[in-house]
Amino acid sequence: MAVALDRIRVGSAPDSWGVWFPDDPQQVPWQRFLDEVAEAGYSWIELGPYGYLPTDPARLTDEVRSRGLQVSAGTIFCGLHRGPSEWDATWEQVSRVAALTQAMGAAHLVVIPSFWRDDKTAEILEPPELTTEQWGHLTRGMERLGREVKETYGLDIVVHPHADTHIDTEEHVERFLDSTDARLVNLCLDTGHYAYCGGDSVKLIETYGERIGYLHLKQVDPEILADVVKNQIPFGPAVQRGVMCEPPAGVPELGPVLTAAQKLGVDLFAIVEQDMYPCEPDKPLPIAVRTRKFLRSCGA
C-alpha cells in the first residue's frame, strides 16, 4: 500500500493544457482549462502566463471558486544574470504577477531564468555557461528579488531550474543553492526539467531538502531525450517531439520523488506540468484524468 502523502498538495497548471503564452490561437480558451482541470480532479492551479487567465482579481476569484479551485503560485521569467540594469524591467513584470498572485491568496512566485537559446528558432542568444561575474549578478539579483517580493507582497520566491537556461544541470543547481541565502531564495524542483538536464530529483531532495520549496511533477521519455541530447535540439522542438511524456511512462519515477518530499516533513505543492505545446484541444483532459489517478495510486 502506498504511503499517505499528507504533506503533498497536488495540482495542475495551464502548461498541462498546452498553454505557453498569454494569447495564442493554438491554445484552449481559459474557461475550458478551468472547467477541465476541475473535472480532472485537481483543486490547485497556477496562473500560467500572465494574461491567459483573467487578471482582475475579483473576476478571477469568482471563476476559480465557482469551480472549487484555488491558486498556488504565479510565474515570472527574468535575466538577472545580466546585472543591475535588468532590475527595473524585471520588477515591472514581477509587480503585476505578484500582485495578482497575492490577491488570489497564493504564497509562491515561481521564478524561471531566461533562456540562453531561442525556444523556437534555436538561435544561440547567449553562452550557455555564465562567467563568474554573471553568477554573482544572478545570485545577488535573486536574493534581492526574494527579499523585495517578500517585503512587498508577502510571497516566497522559488527558482525553477529549466532546460536551456543557466540553472539546469546538477552542477549549476548546486552552485546556485550554495551561493544563495535560504532565507531569501529556495527552489521549485521540476522533476522533468531536472531529469532532462541529467539530474537526480530524489538525490537533490535528500541532499538539499531544506531548500525545496515547491515541486513541479513531470517526466521525460528517455529515448526521445537521448536523441534530443545527441542532436542538441532546443527545448521547444523537443517538447513537440514528445520529450515530456505522460506518467508513469517516463523518468524519474514519481513515487520515490513524492516519498522523499513527504519525508521532509513540510507542506509542499506538487503541481503537474506536462509540457505539450502545441496540442490538440481534446488531448489534455484524458491525460490529466489518468495522471490524477496515477498520483492517487502513489498516495498523493
Side-chain angles (χ1 to χ4, degrees):
M1 183 176 172
V3 175
L5 302 171
D6 59 359
R7 305 304 294 263
I8 308 297
R9 291 172 285 184
V10 173
S12 193
D15 193 38
S16 297
W17 268 255
V19 175
W20 277 13
F21 303 102
D23 186 35
D24 187 298
Q26 297 188 86
Q27 298 175 172
V28 297
W30 63 265
Q31 295 94 332
R32 180 169 179 177
F33 159 68
L34 291 178
D35 288 343
E36 292 188 352
V37 74
E39 184 181 339
Y42 295 99
S43 53
W44 294 94
I45 60 164
E46 290 184 357
L47 295 176
Y50 182 79
Y52 174 66
L53 294 175
T55 56
D56 173 61
R59 183 179 183 201
L60 184 56
T61 297
D62 287 344
E63 296 285 355
V64 166
R65 284 183 179 167
S66 70
R67 295 167 172 88
L69 299 170
Q70 298 180 74
V71 174
S72 62
T75 303
I76 65 115
F77 287 82
C78 64
L80 293 173
H81 66 283
R82 300 187 191 109
S85 61
E86 285 286 304
W87 180 261
D88 288 349
T90 299
W91 189 253
E92 183 183 359
Q93 178 198 176
V94 166
S95 59
R96 289 194 303 269
V97 178
L100 181 60
T101 304
Q102 179 192 43
M104 296 309 296
H108 295 90
L109 187 68
V110 177
V111 179
I112 301 177
S114 56
F115 286 49
W116 55 259
R117 67 175 161 189
D118 190 280
D119 210 22
K120 290 184 176 178
T121 67
E123 177 192 358
I124 304 294
L125 305 172
E126 298 179 71
E129 290 288 337
L130 297 178
T131 65
T132 301
E133 182 183 33
Q134 288 173 321
W135 269 108
H137 288 321
L138 175 64
T139 54
R140 287 190 300 272
M142 287 294 192
E143 286 179 335
R144 180 183 178 188
L145 188 65
R147 183 183 300 109
E148 299 206 15
V149 165
K150 186 72 171 177
E151 289 176 355
T152 309
Y153 298 101
L155 306 176
D156 293 322
I157 72 164
V158 281
V159 177
H160 182 321
H162 197 293
D164 290 357
T165 77
H166 295 107
I167 308 177
D168 50 1
T169 61
E170 179 179 327
E171 178 188 359
H172 287 165
V173 170
E174 291 186 353
R175 180 172 179 173
F176 178 75
L177 290 173
D178 291 342
S179 306
T180 48
D181 187 336
R183 294 169 297 181
L184 301 173
V185 179
N186 283 304
L187 210 66
C188 169
L189 170 58
D190 184 303
T191 61
H193 279 279
Y194 202 50
Y196 186 107
C197 299
D200 180 333
S201 289
V202 171
K203 179 186 171 188
L204 186 67
I205 293 168
E206 291 176 345
T207 308
Y208 286 90
E210 75 284 355
R211 304 299 299 276
I212 307 298
Y214 199 92
L215 296 172
H216 278 172
L217 301 180
K218 61 165 75 92
Q219 289 188 320
V220 293
D221 181 311
E223 291 186 10
I224 297 175
L225 179 62
D227 183 61
V228 164
V229 172
K230 179 183 175 184
N231 293 297
Q232 298 185 323
I233 297 165
F235 183 66
V239 166
Q240 292 180 24
R241 293 182 180 212
V243 72
M244 297 297 182
C245 62
E246 179 182 343
V251 296
E253 281 189 72
L254 294 180
V257 171
L258 291 166
T259 299
Q262 169 74 17
K263 287 178 181 176
L264 296 177
V266 297
D267 292 333
L268 281 174
F269 283 107
I271 304 298
V272 177
E273 272 201 333
Q274 185 182 338
D275 295 296
M276 46 184 184
Y277 173 86
C279 69
E280 295 298 319
D282 292 334
K283 185 179 178 183
L285 178 58
I287 292 176
V289 170
R290 290 192 296 267
T291 301
R292 188 69 193 94
K293 182 179 179 182
F294 166 70
L295 291 173
R296 284 196 182 98
S297 76
C298 296

CSV table of all heavy atoms in Angstrom, one decimal, residues 90-131:
chain,number,residue,atom,x,y,z
A,90,THR,N,12.5,43.7,-14.8
A,90,THR,CA,12.1,42.5,-14.0
A,90,THR,C,11.1,42.9,-13.0
A,90,THR,O,10.0,42.2,-12.9
A,90,THR,CB,13.3,41.9,-13.3
A,90,THR,OG1,14.3,41.5,-14.3
A,90,THR,CG2,12.9,40.7,-12.5
A,91,TRP,N,11.3,44.0,-12.2
A,91,TRP,CA,10.3,44.4,-11.2
A,91,TRP,C,9.0,44.8,-11.8
A,91,TRP,O,7.9,44.5,-11.2
A,91,TRP,CB,10.9,45.5,-10.3
A,91,TRP,CG,10.1,45.7,-9.1
A,91,TRP,CD1,9.2,46.8,-8.9
A,91,TRP,CD2,9.9,44.8,-8.0
A,91,TRP,NE1,8.6,46.6,-7.7
A,91,TRP,CE2,9.0,45.4,-7.1
A,91,TRP,CE3,10.4,43.6,-7.7
A,91,TRP,CZ2,8.6,44.8,-5.9
A,91,TRP,CZ3,10.0,43.0,-6.5
A,91,TRP,CH2,9.1,43.6,-5.6
A,92,GLU,N,9.0,45.4,-12.9
A,92,GLU,CA,7.7,45.8,-13.6
A,92,GLU,C,6.9,44.5,-13.8
A,92,GLU,O,5.7,44.5,-13.6
A,92,GLU,CB,8.0,46.5,-14.9
A,92,GLU,CG,6.8,47.0,-15.6
A,92,GLU,CD,7.1,47.7,-16.9
A,92,GLU,OE1,8.3,47.8,-17.3
A,92,GLU,OE2,6.1,48.1,-17.6
A,93,GLN,N,7.5,43.5,-14.3
A,93,GLN,CA,6.8,42.2,-14.6
A,93,GLN,C,6.4,41.6,-13.3
A,93,GLN,O,5.2,41.1,-13.1
A,93,GLN,CB,7.7,41.3,-15.4
A,93,GLN,CG,7.1,39.9,-15.6
A,93,GLN,CD,8.1,38.8,-16.0
A,93,GLN,OE1,7.8,37.7,-16.2
A,93,GLN,NE2,9.4,39.2,-16.1
A,94,VAL,N,7.3,41.5,-12.3
A,94,VAL,CA,7.1,40.9,-11.0
A,94,VAL,C,5.9,41.6,-10.3
A,94,VAL,O,5.0,40.9,-9.8
A,94,VAL,CB,8.3,40.9,-10.1
A,94,VAL,CG1,8.0,40.6,-8.7
A,94,VAL,CG2,9.4,40.0,-10.7
A,95,SER,N,5.8,42.9,-10.4
A,95,SER,CA,4.8,43.6,-9.6
A,95,SER,C,3.4,43.3,-10.1
A,95,SER,O,2.5,43.1,-9.3
A,95,SER,CB,5.1,45.1,-9.7
A,95,SER,OG,5.1,45.6,-11.0
A,96,ARG,N,3.3,43.1,-11.4
A,96,ARG,CA,2.0,42.7,-12.0
A,96,ARG,C,1.6,41.3,-11.5
A,96,ARG,O,0.5,41.0,-11.0
A,96,ARG,CB,2.0,42.7,-13.5
A,96,ARG,CG,2.0,44.1,-14.1
A,96,ARG,CD,1.7,44.0,-15.6
A,96,ARG,NE,2.6,43.2,-16.3
A,96,ARG,CZ,3.7,43.5,-16.9
A,96,ARG,NH1,4.1,44.8,-16.8
A,96,ARG,NH2,4.5,42.7,-17.6
A,97,VAL,N,2.5,40.4,-11.7
A,97,VAL,CA,2.2,39.0,-11.4
A,97,VAL,C,2.1,38.7,-9.9
A,97,VAL,O,1.1,38.0,-9.5
A,97,VAL,CB,3.3,38.0,-12.0
A,97,VAL,CG1,3.0,36.6,-11.7
A,97,VAL,CG2,3.4,38.2,-13.5
A,98,ALA,N,2.9,39.3,-9.1
A,98,ALA,CA,2.9,39.1,-7.7
A,98,ALA,C,1.7,39.7,-7.1
A,98,ALA,O,1.1,39.1,-6.1
A,98,ALA,CB,4.2,39.7,-7.1
A,99,ALA,N,1.2,40.9,-7.6
A,99,ALA,CA,0.0,41.5,-7.0
A,99,ALA,C,-1.2,40.6,-7.2
A,99,ALA,O,-2.0,40.4,-6.3
A,99,ALA,CB,-0.2,42.8,-7.7
A,100,LEU,N,-1.3,40.0,-8.4
A,100,LEU,CA,-2.4,39.1,-8.7
A,100,LEU,C,-2.3,37.8,-7.9
A,100,LEU,O,-3.3,37.3,-7.3
A,100,LEU,CB,-2.5,38.7,-10.2
A,100,LEU,CG,-3.6,37.8,-10.6
A,100,LEU,CD1,-5.0,38.4,-10.3
A,100,LEU,CD2,-3.5,37.5,-12.2
A,101,THR,N,-1.1,37.3,-7.8
A,101,THR,CA,-0.8,36.1,-7.0
A,101,THR,C,-1.2,36.3,-5.6
A,101,THR,O,-1.9,35.4,-5.0
A,101,THR,CB,0.7,35.7,-7.1
A,101,THR,OG1,1.0,35.5,-8.5
A,101,THR,CG2,1.0,34.4,-6.4
A,102,GLN,N,-0.8,37.4,-5.0
A,102,GLN,CA,-1.2,37.7,-3.6
A,102,GLN,C,-2.7,37.9,-3.5
A,102,GLN,O,-3.3,37.3,-2.5
A,102,GLN,CB,-0.5,39.0,-3.2
A,102,GLN,CG,-0.8,39.5,-1.8
A,102,GLN,CD,-0.3,41.0,-1.6
A,102,GLN,OE1,-0.5,41.8,-2.4
A,102,GLN,NE2,0.3,41.2,-0.4
A,103,ALA,N,-3.3,38.5,-4.4
A,103,ALA,CA,-4.8,38.7,-4.3
A,103,ALA,C,-5.5,37.4,-4.4
A,103,ALA,O,-6.6,37.3,-3.8
A,103,ALA,CB,-5.2,39.7,-5.5
A,104,MET,N,-4.9,36.4,-5.0
A,104,MET,CA,-5.6,35.1,-5.1
A,104,MET,C,-5.3,34.2,-3.9
A,104,MET,O,-5.7,33.1,-3.9
A,104,MET,CB,-5.1,34.4,-6.4
A,104,MET,CG,-5.6,35.1,-7.7
A,104,MET,SD,-7.3,35.5,-7.7
A,104,MET,CE,-8.0,33.9,-7.7
A,105,GLY,N,-4.6,34.8,-2.9
A,105,GLY,CA,-4.3,34.0,-1.7
A,105,GLY,C,-3.2,33.0,-1.8
A,105,GLY,O,-3.0,32.2,-0.9
A,106,ALA,N,-2.4,33.1,-2.9
A,106,ALA,CA,-1.3,32.2,-3.0
A,106,ALA,C,-0.1,32.7,-2.3
A,106,ALA,O,-0.1,33.9,-1.9
A,106,ALA,CB,-0.9,32.0,-4.5
A,107,ALA,N,0.9,31.9,-2.1
A,107,ALA,CA,2.1,32.3,-1.3
A,107,ALA,C,3.4,32.1,-2.0
A,107,ALA,O,4.4,32.4,-1.4
A,107,ALA,CB,2.1,31.4,0.0
A,108,HIS,N,3.4,31.7,-3.3
A,108,HIS,CA,4.6,31.4,-4.0
A,108,HIS,C,4.7,32.2,-5.3
A,108,HIS,O,3.6,32.3,-6.0
A,108,HIS,CB,4.8,29.9,-4.3
A,108,HIS,CG,5.0,29.1,-3.0
A,108,HIS,ND1,3.9,28.6,-2.3
A,108,HIS,CD2,6.1,28.8,-2.3
A,108,HIS,CE1,4.3,27.9,-1.3
A,108,HIS,NE2,5.7,28.1,-1.2
A,109,LEU,N,5.9,32.6,-5.7
A,109,LEU,CA,6.2,33.1,-7.0
A,109,LEU,C,7.2,32.2,-7.6
A,109,LEU,O,8.4,32.2,-7.1
A,109,LEU,CB,6.6,34.6,-7.0
A,109,LEU,CG,6.8,35.3,-8.3
A,109,LEU,CD1,5.4,35.5,-9.0
A,109,LEU,CD2,7.5,36.6,-8.1
A,110,VAL,N,6.9,31.5,-8.7
A,110,VAL,CA,7.9,30.7,-9.4
A,110,VAL,C,8.7,31.6,-10.3
A,110,VAL,O,8.1,32.3,-11.2
A,110,VAL,CB,7.2,29.6,-10.2
A,110,VAL,CG1,8.2,28.7,-11.0
A,110,VAL,CG2,6.4,28.7,-9.2
A,111,VAL,N,10.0,31.5,-10.2
A,111,VAL,CA,10.9,32.4,-11.0
A,111,VAL,C,11.8,31.5,-11.9
A,111,VAL,O,12.5,30.6,-11.5
A,111,VAL,CB,11.9,33.2,-10.1
A,111,VAL,CG1,12.8,34.0,-10.9
A,111,VAL,CG2,11.0,34.0,-9.1
A,112,ILE,N,11.6,31.7,-13.2
A,112,ILE,CA,12.3,30.9,-14.3
A,112,ILE,C,13.4,31.8,-14.9
A,112,ILE,O,13.1,32.9,-15.4
A,112,ILE,CB,11.4,30.4,-15.3
A,112,ILE,CG1,10.3,29.5,-14.7
A,112,ILE,CG2,12.1,29.6,-16.4
A,112,ILE,CD1,9.2,29.0,-15.6
A,113,PRO,N,14.7,31.3,-14.9
A,113,PRO,CA,15.7,32.1,-15.5
A,113,PRO,C,15.5,32.2,-17.0
A,113,PRO,O,14.8,31.3,-17.6
A,113,PRO,CB,17.0,31.3,-15.3
A,113,PRO,CG,16.6,30.3,-14.2
A,113,PRO,CD,15.2,30.1,-14.3
A,114,SER,N,16.0,33.3,-17.7
A,114,SER,CA,15.8,33.5,-19.1
A,114,SER,C,16.6,32.4,-19.9
A,114,SER,O,17.6,31.9,-19.4
A,114,SER,CB,16.2,34.9,-19.5
A,114,SER,OG,17.5,35.1,-19.2
A,115,PHE,N,16.1,32.1,-21.1
A,115,PHE,CA,16.7,31.1,-21.9
A,115,PHE,C,18.0,31.6,-22.6
A,115,PHE,O,18.1,32.8,-23.0
A,115,PHE,CB,15.7,30.7,-23.1
A,115,PHE,CG,14.6,29.8,-22.6
A,115,PHE,CD1,13.8,30.2,-21.5
A,115,PHE,CD2,14.3,28.7,-23.3
A,115,PHE,CE1,12.8,29.4,-21.1
A,115,PHE,CE2,13.2,27.9,-22.9
A,115,PHE,CZ,12.5,28.2,-21.8
A,116,TRP,N,19.0,30.7,-22.8
A,116,TRP,CA,20.2,31.1,-23.5
A,116,TRP,C,20.1,30.8,-25.0
A,116,TRP,O,20.9,31.3,-25.8
A,116,TRP,CB,21.4,30.6,-22.9
A,116,TRP,CG,21.5,29.1,-22.7
A,116,TRP,CD1,21.3,28.4,-21.6
A,116,TRP,CD2,21.8,28.1,-23.7
A,116,TRP,NE1,21.4,27.0,-21.8
A,116,TRP,CE2,21.7,26.8,-23.1
A,116,TRP,CE3,22.1,28.1,-25.1
A,116,TRP,CZ2,21.9,25.6,-23.8
A,116,TRP,CZ3,22.3,26.9,-25.8
A,116,TRP,CH2,22.2,25.7,-25.1
A,117,ARG,N,19.1,30.1,-25.4
A,117,ARG,CA,18.8,29.9,-26.8
A,117,ARG,C,17.4,30.0,-27.1
A,117,ARG,O,16.5,29.7,-26.2
A,117,ARG,CB,19.4,28.6,-27.4
A,117,ARG,CG,18.8,27.4,-26.9
A,117,ARG,CD,19.4,26.2,-27.7
A,117,ARG,NE,19.2,24.9,-27.0
A,117,ARG,CZ,19.7,23.8,-27.3
A,117,ARG,NH1,20.6,23.7,-28.3
A,117,ARG,NH2,19.5,22.7,-26.6
A,118,ASP,N,17.0,30.5,-28.3
A,118,ASP,CA,15.6,30.8,-28.6
A,118,ASP,C,14.8,29.5,-28.6
A,118,ASP,O,15.3,28.5,-29.2
A,118,ASP,CB,15.5,31.5,-30.0
A,118,ASP,CG,14.1,32.0,-30.3
A,118,ASP,OD1,13.3,31.2,-30.7
A,118,ASP,OD2,13.9,33.2,-30.1
A,119,ASP,N,13.7,29.6,-28.0
A,119,ASP,CA,12.8,28.4,-27.8
A,119,ASP,C,12.3,27.8,-29.1
A,119,ASP,O,11.9,26.7,-29.2
A,119,ASP,CB,11.7,28.7,-26.8
A,119,ASP,CG,11.3,27.5,-26.0
A,119,ASP,OD1,12.1,26.6,-25.9
A,119,ASP,OD2,10.1,27.6,-25.5
A,120,LYS,N,12.2,28.7,-30.1
A,120,LYS,CA,11.6,28.3,-31.3
A,120,LYS,C,12.6,28.1,-32.5
A,120,LYS,O,12.6,27.1,-33.2
A,120,LYS,CB,10.5,29.3,-31.8
A,120,LYS,CG,9.2,29.2,-30.9
A,120,LYS,CD,8.2,30.2,-31.4
A,120,LYS,CE,6.9,30.1,-30.6
A,120,LYS,NZ,5.8,31.0,-31.1
A,121,THR,N,13.5,29.1,-32.6
A,121,THR,CA,14.4,29.1,-33.7
A,121,THR,C,15.7,28.4,-33.4
A,121,THR,O,16.5,28.1,-34.4
A,121,THR,CB,14.8,30.5,-34.1
A,121,THR,OG1,15.5,31.1,-33.1
A,121,THR,CG2,13.5,31.3,-34.4
A,122,ALA,N,16.0,28.1,-32.2
A,122,ALA,CA,17.3,27.5,-31.7
A,122,ALA,C,18.5,28.5,-31.8
A,122,ALA,O,19.6,28.1,-31.6
A,122,ALA,CB,17.6,26.2,-32.5
A,123,GLU,N,18.2,29.7,-32.2
A,123,GLU,CA,19.3,30.7,-32.2
A,123,GLU,C,20.0,30.8,-30.8
A,123,GLU,O,19.3,31.0,-29.8
A,123,GLU,CB,18.7,32.1,-32.6
A,123,GLU,CG,19.8,33.2,-32.7
A,123,GLU,CD,19.2,34.6,-32.8
A,123,GLU,OE1,17.9,34.7,-32.9
A,123,GLU,OE2,20.0,35.5,-32.8
A,124,ILE,N,21.3,30.8,-30.8
A,124,ILE,CA,22.0,31.0,-29.6
A,124,ILE,C,22.0,32.4,-29.2
A,124,ILE,O,22.5,33.3,-29.9
A,124,ILE,CB,23.5,30.4,-29.7
A,124,ILE,CG1,23.5,29.0,-30.2
A,124,ILE,CG2,24.2,30.6,-28.4
A,124,ILE,CD1,22.9,28.0,-29.2
A,125,LEU,N,21.4,32.8,-28.1
A,125,LEU,CA,21.2,34.2,-27.7
A,125,LEU,C,22.4,34.6,-26.8
A,125,LEU,O,22.8,35.8,-26.8
A,125,LEU,CB,19.9,34.3,-26.9
A,125,LEU,CG,18.7,33.9,-27.7
A,125,LEU,CD1,17.4,33.9,-26.7
A,125,LEU,CD2,18.4,34.7,-28.9
A,126,GLU,N,22.9,33.7,-26.0
A,126,GLU,CA,24.0,33.9,-25.0
A,126,GLU,C,24.8,32.6,-24.8
A,126,GLU,O,24.2,31.6,-25.1
A,126,GLU,CB,23.4,34.4,-23.7
A,126,GLU,CG,22.6,35.6,-23.7
A,126,GLU,CD,22.1,36.0,-22.3
A,126,GLU,OE1,22.9,36.3,-21.4
A,126,GLU,OE2,20.9,35.8,-22.0
A,127,PRO,N,26.0,32.7,-24.3
A,127,PRO,CA,26.7,31.5,-24.0
A,127,PRO,C,26.0,30.7,-22.9
A,127,PRO,O,25.4,31.3,-22.0
A,127,PRO,CB,28.1,32.0,-23.4
A,127,PRO,CG,28.2,33.4,-24.0
A,127,PRO,CD,26.8,33.9,-24.1
A,128,PRO,N,26.0,29.4,-23.0
A,128,PRO,CA,25.2,28.5,-22.1
A,128,PRO,C,25.9,28.5,-20.7
A,128,PRO,O,25.2,28.2,-19.7
A,128,PRO,CB,25.2,27.1,-22.7
A,128,PRO,CG,26.3,27.1,-23.7
A,128,PRO,CD,26.5,28.5,-24.2
A,129,GLU,N,27.1,28.9,-20.6
A,129,GLU,CA,27.8,29.0,-19.3
A,129,GLU,C,28.0,30.5,-18.9
A,129,GLU,O,28.4,31.3,-19.7
A,129,GLU,CB,29.2,28.3,-19.4
A,129,GLU,CG,29.2,26.8,-19.5
A,129,GLU,CD,28.7,26.1,-18.2
A,129,GLU,OE1,28.9,26.7,-17.1
A,129,GLU,OE2,28.2,25.0,-18.3
A,130,LEU,N,27.7,30.8,-17.6
A,130,LEU,CA,27.9,32.1,-17.1
A,130,LEU,C,29.3,32.3,-16.7
A,130,LEU,O,30.0,31.4,-16.3
A,130,LEU,CB,27.0,32.3,-15.9
A,130,LEU,CG,25.4,32.3,-16.1
A,130,LEU,CD1,24.7,32.4,-14.8
A,130,LEU,CD2,25.0,33.3,-17.1
A,131,THR,N,29.7,33.6,-16.8
A,131,THR,CA,31.0,34.0,-16.2
A,131,THR,C,30.9,34.1,-14.7
A,131,THR,O,29.8,34.1,-14.1
A,131,THR,CB,31.5,35.3,-16.7
A,131,THR,OG1,30.6,36.3,-16.3
A,131,THR,CG2,31.6,35.3,-18.3
